[in-house]
Amino acid sequence: MRELVIRNLRGALTAVSDIVAEALPRLLAMAIIVLVGWAIAWVIEVILRRLLVLARFNRLFESKGVTRALSIAALPSPAEMISRIVFWIVWVSFILVGVNALGVVALQREVSAFVGLLPQFVVALLIIFFGFLAANFFSRAALLAAVNANSPSPRIVSGFVRFLILLLAITMALERVGLGRGVVLVAFAVSFGAIMMGLGIAFGLGGRHVARRILERRFAAGRERREEKDDEGSHL
Amino acid sequence: MAEETFLSDEFVSQLTAVGEVDILVGLPTFNNRDTVQRVVNAILVGLVKYYPRERSVLINPDGGSKDGTTEAVQAASIPDFRAVLASNPLRTMHVVSALYPGVQGENEALRMVFAAADLLGAKACALISPDLESATPEWIDALVRPVLKDTFDFVAPIYQRRRFEGLLVKNLLHPLIRAAYGYQLEEPVGREVAFSGRLASYFLGDESRRENFAGLGSHVWMTTAAMAAGYRLCQAFLGPRVTSSRRSALDLNTTIQEIAGALFRCMELHQSYWTSRQTLEEVPTFGFQPVLNLDPVRIDRRRMFQMFSSGVDDLGSVLEKILSAETLQAIKDTSKLDEKNFRFVDELWVKTVCEFAASYHHSVINRDHLLQSLTPLYRGRVSSFILENARAEAEEVERRLELLRHEYERLKPYLVESWNRQT
C-alpha cells in the first residue's frame, strides 16, 4: 500500500516535472521573444521617429488639415503616430510569434483568429482617420460658405456637417470589423432618418415663415437677389 | 514651334491666309451677342481711323457661344467710312474666329491670342472685352500707340472710376502690387490691355502660363509676369468703363477667390523677384484724363459691417490658423466696436493682407478656404473705408489712399519676413 502511494506520488511528480521541463523552455523562449521583440520595436520606433522629424514629415500634412484632424481626435502628430503604430505592429508580431512558440493548440487557434481580424481593424482605423479628415474639411467649407452667404447660425451648420460625416465614418468602421453589424446599420439608418425628419418638421412647421421667405427669395425671379448684389457694389 | 500643335488646323490655315500683321486685337467671347457687334465696330473703326497703313487682324477665340456671338463678330463691318473721317482702309481687315474649349476658361483664349501673335509676327497686340458698352475707337489708339510708336511692352488701362468703385483694387491689389513688385500701376487687373509681340512670345513660352488661373486671374498673371520679367510698362487713360457683364453680379466671395488667389499665387511664382526688390518705379502715363461726374456706387455699408462682425465671431477657429495672435485679437476688438465709431485702420488691414499672403504661401489650411475667410475681413475694411470717406472730396479720398499705399510700402519688410518664415 505504502509503496503504491509512493509510486503514484513519484509518477505524479515525474509527470509534473516532465510538463514543467517541457513548458519551461517554451515559456522562457516566449519571454525572450517578447522581450527581444519589445527592444527591436523600440529601436525601430526611435529611428523612424527621428527620420520622420528630419524629413519634416509633419509639414506635409499641415496644409491638408491632417494635423488639425489628429489634434481634434486627441491623437499625436503624424510622425509620432506612425512611429507608434510601427512599434505596436512589430511588438504585437513578436508577441504572436512568442505565443505560438508555447505550442498550446487552443491559444494557437485564438492567435490565428486574431491575425485574421487584424486587416479589418486596420481598414476600420483608416476609415475613421479619413472620416475625421473629411469631416474637418467639409465642416470648414460649410462654415465659410454659410458665413459668406450671411446665413443664420453658420457654426450649427458646420457642426452638423461634421457630426454627420463622423457618424457615417464610425458606422462604416464598426460594420467593417463586424461589430454588431445589423444593429449598427439599423441604428445609423434610424438616427439619420430621425434627424432629417426632425429637421424637416422643425423647418416646415416651426419655421414655416422663414421657409416661405427663403423659398420666395430663391425663386422669385431673382429680383431681391439682384438688389442684394447691387448693394455690394463693384469691387474690381 | 511647339505651341502650334494646340491650334486647330482650321485656325492655323486661317492665320496662314492672313500672313504677317502689325497689329493684332484679341477679343475672347462667350455668349456676348448683345454687345459684341458694337465692340467689334469700335475696334475696326479704331484700326481704320488710326492705323490705316498697318496690317491688322482681329482674333476672336470663342468659348462655344450658343447665342450667335461668332456670327455677330463675323458680320460686323464699318457701314460708312465718312462717319469715321477716314478713307477706305488701305489693307484688308481680317477677322478670324476660332473655338476654344469653354471649360478651360479665359486662359485658353489668351493662349490662342499669344500663339496667333507669335505666328503672325504681330508688333502690337491689344485685348478687348466683349461686354463693353463704353468702348470707343480711341481706346484702340490709346492702347496700341505706346507699343507701336514708343516701344513699350505692356500698356495697362486707367479707367475713370465712380465713387467707391473698385475698392478691392484700391485697398488690396494696387497697393500690394505696388509695394511688392515696385511699379506704380493704377489698374493691375485691367481687362483692356496691350502688349508687344515679343511680350506675347514671352507669355506663350513662360511656364507659369500653364497655371490654371480662374476668371480674371490670368490678367493679374499677365501684369505681374511682365513686371517680374523686366519689360517696359506704361499706362493709358481710357475713360469710364461701362459693361453689360454678368460678371458685375458675380459674388464678392468668388471675386476675392479669383483675384486675391491669383495675386498670391503670382507672388509665389515671382518670389525671387519681389522679395529682393527695393525700388519703386514710376510708370509713364499716356492720354487725356477726362473729368466726368459719375454717380457713386451703391454699397450697403451697414450690411457689410454686420457681415464682418458676425464673420469674425464665427470664423475664429479658422482665422487663428492664418493670422498672428496679435492681429487676430486686434480684428476681434475692432469687430466689437460700435458701428458708427468703427475703423479698420490702415496698419491693421495691411498686416492682415500680408499675413494672408504669407499663410497662402505656407498653405496653413486649404487655399480656397483661406481665400474665402478673407471675404468677411474685406467687408469690414470696405465698411470702414466708406464710413471714413462718406463726406470726403475726391482729393481727400486720394490722399487717404496714398497713405494706405505708403503703409503697404512701410510694411513690406513685414510681408517678406512673414513670407520667408519657416513654419
Side-chain angles (χ1 to χ4, degrees):
Chain A
M1 178 70 186
R2 190 174 160 230
E3 273 183 13
L4 188 67
V5 170
I6 288 170
R7 202 183 319 132
N8 278 343
L9 273 176
R10 197 173 288 155
L13 273 175
T14 312
V16 168
S17 63
D18 282 351
I19 289 169
V20 170
E22 197 183 337
L24 204 60
R26 287 182 183 175
L27 271 174
L28 205 63
M30 189 193 89
I32 290 169
I33 289 170
V34 169
L35 280 176
V36 170
W38 180 86
I40 290 173
W42 182 78
V43 170
I44 289 174
E45 184 195 4
V46 170
I47 291 172
L48 186 64
R49 186 186 295 126
R50 287 205 179 158
L51 283 177
L52 291 176
V53 168
L54 280 176
R56 295 182 177 180
F57 186 72
N58 289 338
R59 281 192 66 185
L60 291 176
F61 292 88
E62 274 166 13
S63 58
K64 319 287 181 231
V66 178
T67 312
R68 176 167 162 69
L70 292 176
S71 69
I72 287 171
L75 293 170
S77 67
E80 181 65 28
M81 199 163 80
I82 285 186
S83 34
R84 278 195 211 173
I85 288 173
V86 169
F87 167 84
W88 280 105
I89 288 173
V90 174
W91 197 35
V92 167
S93 308
F94 274 96
I95 291 173
L96 294 179
V97 172
V99 170
N100 238 10
L102 277 177
V104 181
V105 180
L107 268 179
Q108 279 174 341
R109 219 176 291 131
E110 288 304 313
V111 166
S112 30
F114 178 71
V115 170
L117 259 185
L118 264 184
Q120 305 305 322
F121 271 118
V122 173
V123 173
L125 280 176
L126 280 176
I127 288 172
I128 289 179
F129 176 72
F130 285 109
F132 266 109
L133 295 192
N136 185 43
F137 182 87
F138 288 110
S139 68
R140 192 164 61 201
L143 176 70
L144 286 161
V147 164
N148 285 322
N150 205 17
S151 305
S153 315
R155 274 182 285 189
I156 294 177
V157 174
S158 162
F160 184 65
V161 169
R162 183 190 296 276
F163 170 75
L164 273 188
I165 295 174
L166 285 179
L167 187 68
L168 184 66
I170 290 168
T171 309
M172 282 167 70
L174 290 177
E175 201 265 341
R176 190 77 208 173
V177 290
L179 211 67
R181 192 164 279 164
V183 176
V184 168
L185 276 179
V186 170
F188 174 74
V190 167
S191 47
F192 190 78
I195 289 168
M196 287 302 151
M197 202 171 87
L199 280 176
I201 290 170
F203 189 65
L205 289 178
R208 63 180 184 276
H209 298 299
V210 180
R212 188 175 156 189
R213 272 206 302 278
I214 288 173
L215 290 172
E216 275 176 359
R217 211 162 46 165
R218 177 73 183 82
F219 296 107
R223 186 166 50 82
E224 276 182 49
R225 286 164 71 82
R226 216 174 304 126
E227 276 172 10
E228 219 170 66
K229 295 263 192 266
D230 284 347
D231 287 350
E232 291 225 315
S234 165
H235 295 266
L236 279 178
Chain B
M1 186 147 315
E3 290 296 338
E4 277 177 41
T5 51
F6 81 89
L7 302 173
S8 68
D9 291 346
E10 193 195 341
F11 185 50
V12 173
S13 70
Q14 285 188 78
L15 293 180
T16 313
V18 171
E20 283 208 352
V21 297
D22 300 303
I23 302 169
L24 180 149
V25 180
L27 180 73
T29 54
F30 182 62
N31 291 336
N32 303 106
R33 191 180 187 281
D34 294 345
T35 51
V36 79
Q37 208 149 15
R38 192 175 16 215
V39 176
V40 175
N41 279 338
I43 294 169
L44 296 181
V45 171
L47 290 171
V48 171
K49 187 175 173 183
Y50 295 101
Y51 303 99
R53 290 174 184 278
E54 277 76 9
R55 296 162 296 178
S56 316
V57 63
L58 173 63
I59 302 286
N60 166 227
D62 185 78
S65 301
K66 301 279 185 223
D67 63 348
T69 298
T70 47
E71 290 79 1
V73 171
Q74 291 294 331
S77 63
I78 307 169
D80 182 2
F81 283 100
R82 284 172 302 180
V84 294
L85 304 173
S87 55
N88 285 332
L90 298 174
R91 296 181 183 273
T92 313
M93 301 289 299
H94 297 280
V95 179
V96 178
S97 292
L99 276 178
Y100 70 88
V103 285
Q104 294 181 22
E106 211 170 319
N107 270 352
E108 199 57 22
L110 291 180
R111 192 176 171 209
M112 284 175 79
V113 171
F114 300 149
D118 192 48
L119 210 66
L120 302 179
K123 292 188 183 109
C125 313
L127 276 177
I128 305 288
S129 304
D131 56 356
L132 284 169
E133 289 184 339
S134 59
T136 64
E138 283 64 40
W139 283 31
I140 296 296
D141 185 42
L143 290 168
V144 169
R145 187 167 296 277
V147 178
L148 214 54
K149 310 289 180 193
D150 299 297
T151 65
F152 279 95
D153 287 302
F154 188 83
V155 187
I158 301 181
Y159 305 115
Q160 169 141 33
R161 296 287 201 173
R162 295 157 71 192
R163 193 179 168 84
F164 300 136
E165 187 187 12
L167 291 181
L168 183 63
V169 175
K170 288 172 184 166
N171 282 279
L172 198 156
L173 288 173
H174 171 207
L176 180 55
I177 289 181
R178 175 175 139 144
Y181 285 77
Y183 284 95
Q184 298 189 27
L185 207 62
E186 289 281 323
E187 295 282 353
V189 267
R191 264 61 52 88
E192 286 71 41
V193 295
F195 44 87
S196 63
R198 68 186 191 116
L199 184 54
S201 303
Y202 172 77
F203 283 151
L204 189 65
D206 188 15
E207 276 300 308
S208 61
R209 180 184 51 74
R210 298 182 200 284
E211 290 283 328
N212 194 19
F213 292 111
L216 290 170
S218 42
H219 288 253
V220 177
W221 166 76
M222 278 199 292
T223 310
T224 53
M227 287 173 175
Y231 284 93
R232 290 185 70 213
L233 273 71
C234 71
Q235 46 194 357
F237 287 113
L238 294 186
R241 185 179 194 280
V242 183
T243 67
S244 66
S245 179
R246 285 169 289 261
R247 272 204 78 82
S248 56
L250 205 70
D251 74 280
L252 178 59
N253 194 33
T254 313
T255 306
I256 288 181
Q257 263 184 285
E258 279 183 11
I259 300 298
L263 177 55
F264 294 161
R265 180 69 191 122
C266 287
M267 286 170 73
E268 253 182 348
L269 295 169
H270 308 134
Q271 60 177 340
S272 59
Y273 166 80
W274 69 264
T275 49
S276 57
R277 181 156 167 110
Q278 303 289 336
T279 52
L280 182 63
E281 208 171 298
E282 216 168 288
V283 177
T285 305
F286 293 92
F288 172 71
Q289 183 179 18
V291 180
L292 302 170
N293 239 346
L294 302 173
D295 291 338
V297 170
R298 192 176 139 212
I299 297 178
D300 187 341
R301 188 186 62 75
R302 283 196 180 85
R303 186 165 169 268
M304 286 267 178
F305 174 75
Q306 177 266 316
M307 287 178 79
F308 160 69
S309 199
S310 57
V312 170
D313 192 30
D314 287 321
L315 293 180
S317 61
V318 181
L319 292 174
E320 71 185 11
K321 301 190 147 307
I322 300 165
L323 298 168
S324 65
E326 199 181 63
T327 307
L328 180 57
Q329 190 53 51
I331 290 174
K332 280 181 177 170
D333 294 344
T334 305
S335 72
K336 289 187 178 72
L337 289 174
D338 174 58
E339 188 200 315
K340 283 174 187 155
N341 301 318
F342 161 71
R343 289 286 183 281
F344 202 132
V345 292
D346 286 356
E347 187 186 1
L348 180 59
W349 169 243
V350 178
K351 277 190 169 176
T352 303
V353 172
C354 292
E355 288 177 19
F356 262 85
S359 297
Y360 179 94
H361 172 52
H362 296 300
S363 296
V364 295
I365 58 169
N366 175 280
R367 287 180 166 186
D368 283 338
H369 291 178
L370 180 138
L371 293 167
Q372 284 178 52
S373 55
L374 179 59
T375 309
L377 307 187
Y378 170 73
R379 286 184 204 277
R381 172 64 190 178
V382 167
S383 176
S384 166
F385 186 86
I386 294 171
L387 186 65
E388 258 180 275
N389 295 291
R391 291 174 207 284
E393 295 291 325
E395 292 77 20
E396 178 62 13
V397 176
E398 186 48 39
R399 194 187 63 76
R400 285 181 183 154
L401 284 172
E402 190 59 21
L403 289 176
L404 176 67
R405 289 172 208 138
H406 287 312
E407 196 61 24
Y408 270 95
E409 283 156 30
R410 187 179 73 79
L411 288 170
K412 185 176 174 182
Y414 181 74
L415 170 64
V416 176
E417 189 193 326
S418 313
W419 189 273
N420 291 332
R421 191 183 55 234
Q422 296 290 322
T423 56

